[in-house]
Amino acid sequence: EVQLVESGGGLVKPGGSLRLSCAASGFTFSSYSMHWVRLAPGKGLEWVSSISGSSSYIYYADSMKGRFTISRDNAKNSLYLQMNSLRAEDTAVYYCARNPPSSGYGMDVWGQGTTVTVSS
Amino acid sequence: SYELTQPPSVSVSPGQTASITCSGDKLGDKFACWYQQKPGQSPVLVIYQNRKRPSGIPERFSGSNSGNTATLTISGTQAMDEADYYCQAWDSSTVVFGGGTKLTVL
């Protein structure tokens, strides 16, 4: 079964750090680009970052640049998001999602999400 | 930065056709996708490459994309289709989501 399972969310104070993980199974992880997408309370989906299968290409949303770092370990079938200098507005459910290599395919598999709460 | 605009809400009666639009500059020159998200659940891809349906998505879901507008059409809308719907496209290798549309079936 194709599956993505996020972990690492929790309560953190403003200015703090958190590392999210996404464990992939049931497919050839290295063949897929991966994304982090978040859903803040009362807001819509917001793309956070993406990474190509070989980690050669990495992209961030402007509001995350310099604070968030995406990475992956294909040997461990895992995706990560290191979040630093967290702000209250980073409070959200964070999802990892895979993107098949075909252009325009979209994010066809999503994890269940992990909740990040930034509050003092 | 590139923006995609959706109506905040759309209402439809059961059995009728619902259309949700997504507007962006020259969106028709890009691929558009659509996601369905129900409360407390993860998003589900319902349309990719403008008009293709992933396996398991009912035939009543269809998509189109031309000019500046992509459209998600749900024919014979059912109560189970009530959800938030998001369009998505790519712009210079970054991902852009629309603001989302709440579909109410009443």
Side-chain angles (χ1 to χ4, degrees), chain B residues 52-69:
Chain B
K52 296 180 180 179
R53 282 179 291 106
S55 60
I57 300 301
E59 291 184 7
R60 63 179 181 274
F61 288 86
S62 62
S64 63
N65 186 15
S66 179
N68 294 322
T69 304

Side-chain angles (χ1 to χ4, degrees), chain B residues 5 10 14 27 32 38 43 48 56 72 87-92:
Chain B
T5 301
V10 168
L27 180 57
K38 298 180 180 180
Y48 68 98
L72 173 69
C87 61
Q88 179 249 303
W90 289 260
D91 180 66
S92 302

